[in-house]
Amino acid sequence: MDAEQITGVFGQLCSLSTPVSAHVSEEQLPEVRVFKVTAEWSQNDLVRGSRLQYSQQWTLIADSNNHKNIRTVFPSGPCAPVSGELLSELSPIQGLRAVIREAGSHQLLEIWDSHGLRKGLNLSALSLHGKVYDDAQFGCLSWSECEKKLLYVAEKKKKNSAAERVCEEPACRKDRSVYCEDWGEALTSKSIPVICVVDLQSGDVRALQGVPADVSPGQALWAPDSQSIFFVGWYHEPFRLGLKFCSNRRSALFRLELNGHCERLSGDNLSVSCPRLSPDGSVLIYLQGKVFGPHNQCLCLQQLDLKSRNTSTLVDVVNRPQTGDFAGVYEALPSCCWSADSQRVVFSSSCRNWKDLFLVDRKSKQVTSLSDNSSDCFKRYGSWKLVTVQRDLMVVCCSSPNTPPTLRVGFLPSEGEAVSWRTLQRPAMTLDFQWTILDVTPPPEEDNTNYSGLDFSAVLVKPCPLLHETRTPLVVFIHGGPHSQFPAEWNCTTAGLVKLGFAVLMVNYRGSTGFGQDSILSLIGQIGSQDVKDVQTAVLTALQSDKTLDPKRVAVIGGSHGGFLSCHLLGQYPDFYRAGAARNPVINVATLLGTSDIVDWRYTSAGFQFAFDNIPTAEVLAVMLEKSPITHAAKIKAPLLLMLGGKDRRVSPHQGLELYKVLKSRGSPVRLLWFPDDGHSLSRLDTQADCFLNTVLWLKQHL
């Protein structure tokens, strides 16, 4: 197998598109109702080395007297490229389209209608604020109910120009080099956000006043009166902690009037996110969790009655779900998740190894699954992810380990009915793989006495058996987090490895999301032992249950905490694994303490309480060191490939370098790839291609 063949497989699979958003419009005709579904997709282009976005539209015909029956789905028209758009939003009444676009060094606000461009503003030229936020953490673009105003979030204006500096010299000269905190990994350009409002009639843009000084605002939306807004505020004192992948940051829900009066609507010392206003403007729902502790957690869904100001729990935390039952909320809500009558909420969430689609009724508070659980469909799609629900039409992205993402649509059902799902466009391909779920029970000696009786699972994906009796090499693929999940969904790395002849075991060890809050809490203080043993138990279970796998050719790969576990396994089971590959791994928790953007998790993971004024002690550092892979480094025999991002703020690249030097000094086979312009996720397209190529070549060489 040569590099050209491997690169060709990666190019074929990584260029498959993924839906990122969708919008539904409707037209009532005498005998039928016409729905138009417009979806935006993201696609990797290896030739350009960048990600493209394009839109695609379908027309659906439903019965006028029974619109839940989709009579016809017409084929989509040609795809249309979407160039330079950072944010976009359609107004609910007039159908105006607001776009914030990047054009060279400028950011533009555009308003489009059926006749073309209605209004344009050069936000950069106005010099009222810095860059507009387009990230999922803070970013937003929201129409007021009157459709005469827009709001968005941007970086507060800094005094950067020479003229501004000269007029205040010498008084401000001393402040030129003052350190400016940011919000950590993937948010390094975000420091002090401000909420900006545009008056579309006058063209005036202003940053709203009244946000508490110790709060950074984001995820803003208009209140029904168009005279106030709701927003989430993250507390940034005494200093900022990383936000990405962390649902445990102290934050609150606020209401801010345009005259500057601000009030907090949620409780104190909680974590809040994803406010979503009901179509009738009477109820605001949002996700709520605890502060500190696990970096990701099972969340509760709260509902705030805006008239009575009463808050109640709509969906509570699930501590220990029964097999087959709803397992809790672990993911962000899509921007549109309400039924048209404001009585039901739709969302997606992890459920063991699946990603499922759920509906909760506000009156009964009963949660029901909306996924198609018929045998054929159940085998085909392991993941159902809600993209949007508008006019009671759900648009869902479905996939599985051998089926890339596709869009399906269905109307919200009446009570007791099933959804009649229709596929908008069949997947670009369905690969000839086998995949199955392995449920694993830890042996009695590895049971966690504080959370006894927990089990976990893994997803095994492998090529279809060959006619000859050659066994298949096994790659153990471990997710990071650790509080995340490998659902039975499309994964380009897994698909590429299987297509090239490997079997892949994706392990959801205790502490993964989708198994209840008890499972998450069970890992606190147990990293480096419970999770390591869980992965090894899962591997042994797979080898015992499937004799087509080769027990003499097993490798392990993973990133972040998955890299942490990969290196642990290589050191704790040195004669079992033949090779390993780790992306930005945690190697020494003790030395990571002062360099990570989530220092709180470094304490929590080792079993210690975090406080902002913590000063590490010899006891704390000793425990952290004892839980680290570096303590087993001298026992590592298998060749190890390390891939490090030079701009990683979550796990310093010096972590991987520390292990690299230990292995190099002992003559152990080790190779290091350095990506100076990439961060923790190693998400640049050229980086991903390089990592995949080198990982496959490494595995082929040593297996």
Side-chain angles (χ1 to χ4, degrees), residues 628-671:
S628 301
I630 196 69
T631 60
H632 303 282
K635 297 181 289 184
I636 293 178
K637 298 178 181 179
L640 177 61
L641 173 66
L642 293 166
M643 293 158 279
L644 308 179
K647 293 184 177 180
D648 189 346
R649 294 284 302 281
R650 182 81 15 121
V651 178
S652 167
H654 291 281
Q655 290 282 301
L657 284 168
E658 188 174 342
L659 180 61
Y660 171 78
K661 292 173 182 177
V662 169
L663 296 178
K664 198 97 185 294
S665 67
R666 294 173 176 271
S668 299
V670 61
R671 187 168 190 246

Side-chain angles (χ1 to χ4, degrees), residues 318-614:
V318 177
N319 290 313
R320 191 170 299 208
Q322 298 299 311
T323 302
D325 287 352
F326 172 64
V329 181
Y330 301 91
E331 301 180 15
L333 301 173
S335 57
C336 295
C337 57
W338 281 95
S339 63
D341 62 4
S342 300
Q343 294 303 309
R344 297 173 291 174
V345 177
V346 189
F347 60 94
S348 300
S349 190
S350 306
C351 191
R352 293 186 70 86
N353 296 286
W354 314 93
K355 195 181 294 288
D356 212 342
L357 183 67
F358 298 99
L359 177 146
V360 59
D361 185 276
R362 286 188 53 225
K363 292 180 180 178
S364 67
K365 298 187 179 180
Q366 182 178 354
V367 178
T368 55
S369 172
L370 297 177
S371 306
D372 187 348
N373 291 324
S374 61
S375 58
D376 289 343
C377 197
F378 193 63
K379 293 176 182 176
R380 185 182 306 166
Y381 301 122
S383 172
W384 294 69
K385 188 172 181 63
L386 180 67
V387 181
T388 191
V389 54
Q390 298 171 38
R391 305 173 191 273
D392 283 349
L393 183 66
M394 297 176 289
V395 183
V396 179
C397 173
C398 294
S399 72
S400 70
N402 64 342
T403 307
T406 186
L407 283 182
R408 308 193 85 202
V409 293
F411 285 102
L412 283 173
S414 300
E415 186 175 355
E417 294 182 352
V419 181
S420 177
W421 291 103
R422 297 289 297 269
T423 300
L424 289 183
Q425 183 170 325
R426 296 198 173 276
M429 64 175 69
T430 299
L431 300 174
D432 192 19
F433 299 165
Q434 295 179 345
W435 63 276
T436 187
I437 302 297
L438 299 177
D439 291 319
V440 185
T441 300
E445 65 272 15
E446 293 173 12
D447 191 40
N448 187 317
T449 56
N450 294 321
Y451 298 93
S452 184
L454 295 172
D455 69 344
F456 62 98
S457 297
V459 182
L460 176 63
V461 190
K462 62 177 188 174
C464 283
L466 301 173
L467 294 177
H468 52 82
E469 296 182 359
T470 303
R471 287 188 168 186
T472 306
L474 177 64
V475 177
V476 182
F477 193 3
I478 314 175
H479 67 69
H483 306 308
S484 62
Q485 180 213 29
F486 266 147
E489 67 181 7
W490 177 257
N491 183 300
C492 183
T493 298
T494 297
L497 288 172
V498 177
K499 193 172 176 64
L500 291 168
F502 300 94
V504 178
L505 183 70
M506 300 184 289
V507 184
N508 290 315
Y509 45 87
R510 282 174 291 175
S512 302
T513 54
F515 294 79
Q517 185 69 357
D518 280 1
S519 181
I520 289 173
L521 294 174
S522 75
L523 189 55
I524 303 303
Q526 302 297 320
I527 62 165
S529 55
Q530 176 179 293
D531 43 5
V532 175
K533 293 172 182 175
D534 279 359
V535 174
Q536 187 65 10
T537 300
V539 175
L540 294 175
T541 300
L543 292 172
Q544 290 167 5
S545 63
D546 191 332
K547 298 305 181 182
T548 67
L549 303 177
D550 191 344
K552 296 182 179 180
R553 291 190 295 164
V554 182
V556 61
I557 65 173
S560 191
H561 193 83
F564 168 88
L565 293 179
S566 296
C567 295
H568 257 302
L569 288 160
L570 294 178
Q572 293 192 38
Y573 304 94
D575 296 318
F576 186 86
Y577 294 93
R578 294 278 301 276
R583 295 174 290 106
N584 287 326
V586 175
I587 298 300
N588 186 336
V589 181
T591 57
L592 183 60
L593 193 58
T595 60
S596 176
D597 66 332
I598 54 170
V599 61
D600 62 308
W601 171 241
R602 307 308 166 200
Y603 279 97
T604 301
S605 65
F608 299 101
Q609 291 288 330
F610 171 77
F612 280 102
D613 59 356
N614 275 6

Side-chain angles (χ1 to χ4, degrees), residues 159-313:
K159 295 178 180 179
N160 290 326
S161 72
E164 288 174 313
R165 289 199 300 267
V166 169
C167 72
E168 296 188 15
E169 289 184 350
C172 285
R173 186 178 301 166
K174 63 181 178 62
D175 296 332
R176 288 182 181 179
S177 301
V178 171
Y179 174 67
C180 184
E181 294 178 16
D182 59 45
W183 286 101
E185 176 64 30
L187 297 169
T188 54
S189 62
K190 315 293 193 299
S191 179
I192 308 174
V194 291
I195 301 172
C196 302
V197 170
V198 184
D199 186 317
L200 295 176
Q201 292 181 313
S202 65
D204 291 337
V205 181
R206 66 186 179 106
L208 296 184
Q209 304 298 311
V211 175
D214 61 342
V215 159
S216 290
Q219 298 185 14
L221 67 158
W222 287 97
D225 56 9
S226 297
Q227 295 302 310
S228 60
I229 64 168
F230 303 112
F231 71 90
V232 174
W234 287 269
Y235 292 91
H236 53 237
E237 295 293 344
F239 56 83
R240 290 163 175 78
L241 290 166
L243 280 179
K244 191 172 179 64
F245 304 129
C246 296
S247 64
N248 64 342
R249 296 289 173 249
R250 185 181 172 221
S251 48
L253 181 66
F254 294 87
R255 183 169 190 156
L256 175 65
E257 297 177 6
L258 298 187
N259 62 15
H261 177 261
C262 188
E263 62 175 324
R264 177 165 52 84
L265 301 178
S266 60
D268 193 18
N269 202 33
L270 295 168
S271 173
V272 167
S273 63
C274 300
R276 304 290 185 256
L277 185 65
S278 62
D280 64 7
S282 66
V283 178
L284 191 69
I285 59 170
Y286 58 93
L287 297 177
Q288 179 177 289
K290 294 182 178 180
V291 177
F292 298 144
H295 68 87
N296 199 11
Q297 57 189 309
C298 187
L299 303 167
C300 61
L301 180 60
Q302 300 289 99
Q303 56 179 349
L304 169 63
D305 187 301
L306 296 176
K307 185 176 181 180
S308 68
R309 295 298 184 96
N310 291 328
T311 301
S312 60
T313 299

